[in-house]
Amino acid sequence: MATEWKAEHFKGAHLNVGIIGCGYVGLPLGLRFAEAGHRVIGFDVDKSKVEMLNRGDSYIQHIPAAKIRQYTASKHFSASSEFSRLGEMDAVIICVPTPLDERREPDLSYVRATAEAIAPHMQRGQLIVLESTTYPGTTEELVLPILERSGMKCPITHGPDAENIPTDFFLAFSPEREDPGNKQYGLAQIPKVVGGTNPPSGRAAAALYAQVVSRVVPVSSTRAAEMAKLLENIFRCVNIALVNELKQLGLRMGIDIWEVIDAAATKPFGFMPFYPGPGLGGHCIPVDPYYLSWKAREYDFSTRFIELAGEINTAMPYHVVDSIAEALNSRRKSLNGSRILVLGVAYKKDVDDLRESPSLKIMELLTARGAEVDYNDPYFPQLHKMRHYDYSQKRSKPLDTKTLASFDCVVIATDHTSYDYAAIVESSNLIVDTRNATRRLLRHRERIVLC
Ligand SMILES: NC(=O)c1ccc[n+]([C@@H]2O[C@H](COP(=O)([O-])OP(=O)(O)OC[C@H]3O[C@@H](n4cnc5c(N)ncnc54)[C@H](O)[C@@H]3O)[C@@H](O)[C@H]2O)c1
């Protein structure tokens, strides 16, 4: 049973840390706390994940099973579906999904369900942190009232007068900045923004995270922390839309936009390169900005940059399909009846994640226009039924000479590093390259269409 702690308690060693949601965000975070010597339980409603973790197996490509085994063996990490064990935790960190629903509105059902699962087991002095990306106000308006059903209070106050305000438990928001597959910046090197419901909550969360990351950046409130994450993702979304639009203009004007971006990126200040592609993918960038535009409506405010960027980025898979049709047409072929091979279904290179991947949309649009569509992806030997698509019959095609030659068109949708682009171009009849992955190839340029 927990006792009542001060914020400084979270500077201590050997804390019990509960991570709710052992996915792309929660699992690496849990392992990082285990590495720092804390005792971590990863909670998940998915029993198969819990079993795999307790066996020391990994289900995320870039997290080696050996790392999980190391910490399960040392008893620093285990997984559980028993939410009653939340009562044993000093700190509980929520890393559950925050998708959009069918009407493209925030779906906070996972966050709500998690808060409801925590409330009956709350202890005085516990620290609860939400990490899931969401609109400003979620921690205070949704999570806090559910946790306070426990009978304990965590007042919303800010400023110097509230430095030592009494609080029964601590509540904070700290956005995850995980970039799966990024070899340069791991969790420990990425500064962590932290905002508390009140100053003691902010200090408690800052003390906890200071143990596992190189730098903690305190902000004045949970809302500021929630908004900081959205600003980061909207910045990416808007800039990607900008280069996607300029790419289309470049194609019309006969200017290679990738060459232009690389040239502009030599400016040592005031410019940051973003690269065009077949559309936005991943769990964050295509989804998160709409959390803010939805919330903005409550304030009679229209977020025009978000809407415009969304419009441009959403149109990109359609642009790719039109380019494929045009490329086939110039070879006296119609899209209807053509055999098309899509290379890469992951949403970005070298990851085993296909959430919101534009490749899936491109495959759907091609099929709707009468093409026979197959795919190759070294990270996905087969596909399955998803929320929007049913590709359960599809298997990754081999990339041998005979198979490549049997397709009318090969589309480079995701530029995995492991692809041998020279060999692919050598054997293919026609290549539509959405990523400029073939930029260094000199032979058979006439077969390559950039789009
Ligand atoms: N993946 C990323 O790169 C990334 C980066 C930054 C932020 N985020 C944000 O982090 C959050 C989590 O994303 P993710 O990519 O880790 O998702 P994920 O789908 O990989 O993992 C979520 C996990 O939560 C579990 N879960 C769902 N409901 C639960 C519940 N009620 N109780 C316990 N477990 C539950 C699921 O079974 C799953 O294992 C999202 O808000 C996302 O926007 C993700």
Side-chain angles (χ1 to χ4, degrees):
M1 193 77 158
T3 49
E4 190 168 350
W5 302 303
K6 300 264 177 273
E8 289 63 37
H9 173 77
F10 298 94
K11 287 183 180 159
H14 311 299
L15 298 175
N16 290 324
V17 180
I19 305 284
I20 306 189
C22 296
Y24 285 87
V25 167
L27 183 55
L29 184 68
L31 294 173
R32 178 77 191 110
F33 275 105
E35 188 181 17
H38 301 288
R39 204 172 68 93
V40 179
I41 300 183
F43 293 88
D44 207 294
V45 284
D46 185 337
K47 293 208 165 62
S48 65
K49 283 186 179 168
V50 168
E51 281 164 19
M52 283 182 81
L53 291 173
N54 285 332
R55 274 202 310 267
D57 292 340
S58 178
Y59 42 81
I60 296 179
Q61 182 255 333
H62 63 275
I63 299 179
K67 194 166 180 185
I68 298 171
R69 263 176 234 147
Q70 181 186 347
Y71 298 117
T72 49
S74 69
K75 306 253 181 286
H76 284 96
F77 183 83
S78 63
S80 177
S81 299
E82 289 286 324
F83 284 78
S84 57
R85 298 198 62 192
L86 286 168
E88 302 165 24
M89 301 295 110
D90 297 67
V92 176
I93 303 178
I94 305 170
C95 306
V96 296
T98 44
L100 296 172
D101 66 16
E102 307 73 48
R103 296 164 64 211
R104 297 196 73 71
E105 291 187 351
D107 174 3
L108 283 167
S109 58
Y110 300 91
V111 174
R112 186 175 296 109
T114 303
E116 283 167 353
I118 298 172
H121 308 292
M122 290 268 299
Q123 304 292 331
R124 273 183 187 276
Q126 261 184 339
L127 165 64
I128 314 293
V129 186
L130 177 63
E131 287 218 5
S132 305
T133 308
T134 184
Y135 59 77
T138 309
T139 310
E140 290 179 358
E141 295 163 15
L142 178 81
V143 177
L144 178 63
I146 297 175
L147 297 183
E148 286 190 336
R149 285 183 205 157
S150 63
M152 288 181 262
K153 297 287 164 208
C154 178
I156 303 172
T157 47
H158 303 291
D161 293 346
E163 272 309 302
N164 294 308
I165 183 108
T167 183
D168 294 331
F169 62 94
F170 304 104
L171 177 62
F173 182 84
S174 179
E176 176 49 51
R177 286 165 155 175
E178 168 83 356
D179 181 16
N182 188 327
K183 293 188 176 64
Q184 197 181 358
Y185 295 106
L187 210 156
Q189 290 84 43
I190 304 172
K192 201 123 179 52
V193 173
V194 171
T197 305
N198 47 44
S201 292
R203 287 202 304 279
L208 179 73
Y209 284 114
Q211 303 207 32
V212 293
V213 298
S214 58
R215 190 173 154 224
V216 171
V217 183
V219 292
S220 64
S221 65
T222 54
R223 285 163 189 269
E226 289 159 336
M227 185 77 153
K229 171 72 188 181
L230 291 181
L231 171 60
E232 291 165 18
N233 285 358
I234 292 163
F235 174 78
R236 282 189 67 75
C237 177
V238 167
N239 279 288
I240 292 169
L242 175 67
V243 287
N244 275 337
E245 185 172 73
L246 292 182
K247 172 177 85 165
Q248 293 175 67
L249 175 64
L251 284 168
R252 233 179 252 192
M253 295 174 75
I255 298 170
D256 177 349
I257 192 69
W258 285 276
E259 184 190 4
V260 172
I261 294 167
D262 287 347
T266 60
K267 186 179 176 187
F269 48 86
F271 184 83
M272 182 184 283
F274 285 85
Y275 296 97
L280 283 186
H283 181 38
C284 296
I285 313 294
V287 171
D288 303 344
Y290 294 105
Y291 267 69
L292 189 62
S293 39
W294 178 84
K295 188 67 177 172
R297 288 205 285 277
E298 199 178 301
Y299 295 83
D300 292 333
F301 194 95
S302 128
T303 49
R304 287 173 290 167
F305 271 103
I306 294 174
E307 299 303 332
L308 178 59
E311 196 182 305
I312 294 170
N313 290 329
T314 308
M316 290 313 290
Y318 294 84
H319 161 75
V320 172
V321 170
D322 286 345
S323 302
I324 296 167
E326 180 59 34
L328 287 166
N329 187 53
S330 66
R331 283 156 182 78
R332 297 172 186 278
K333 286 186 179 169
S334 69
L335 186 52
N336 193 347
S338 282
R339 295 192 66 224
I340 316 272
L341 180 69
V342 174
L343 295 191
V345 286
Y347 79 87
K348 71 173 179 178
K349 71 171 166 184
D350 306 338
V351 299
D352 62 342
D353 188 349
L354 43 68
R355 288 177 292 180
E356 309 286 331
S357 172
S359 303
L360 304 173
K361 185 73 189 176
I362 290 168
M363 287 164 67
E364 180 190 62
L365 295 173
L366 288 170
T367 308
R369 288 175 65 173
E372 244 180 78
V373 184
D374 278 299
Y375 84 96
N376 168 279
D377 194 310
Y379 294 90
F380 292 95
Q382 61 189 65
L383 293 180
H384 53 273
K385 193 170 182 332
M386 292 160 248
R387 205 145 68 131
H388 300 301
Y389 310 99
D390 183 1
Y391 291 133
S392 45
Q393 303 304 317
K394 301 248 184 243
R395 304 278 176 276
S396 178
K397 292 278 170 194
L399 287 187
D400 56 82
T401 307
K402 203 169 151 223
T403 311
L404 283 166
S406 71
F407 285 93
D408 298 296
C409 177
V410 173
V411 183
I412 301 172
T414 308
D415 49 345
H416 289 309
T417 311
S418 60
Y419 282 141
D420 180 346
Y421 293 103
I424 289 166
V425 173
E426 189 68 42
S427 305
S428 303
N429 296 304
L430 168 66
I431 303 277
V432 171
D433 182 359
T434 70
R435 302 274 190 179
N436 205 16
T438 55
R439 66 170 70 193
R440 289 195 182 81
L441 303 185
L442 300 174
R443 279 166 61 82
H444 306 305
R445 287 300 322 173
E446 74 291 348
R447 294 182 192 169
I448 302 171
V449 173
L450 293 179
C451 93

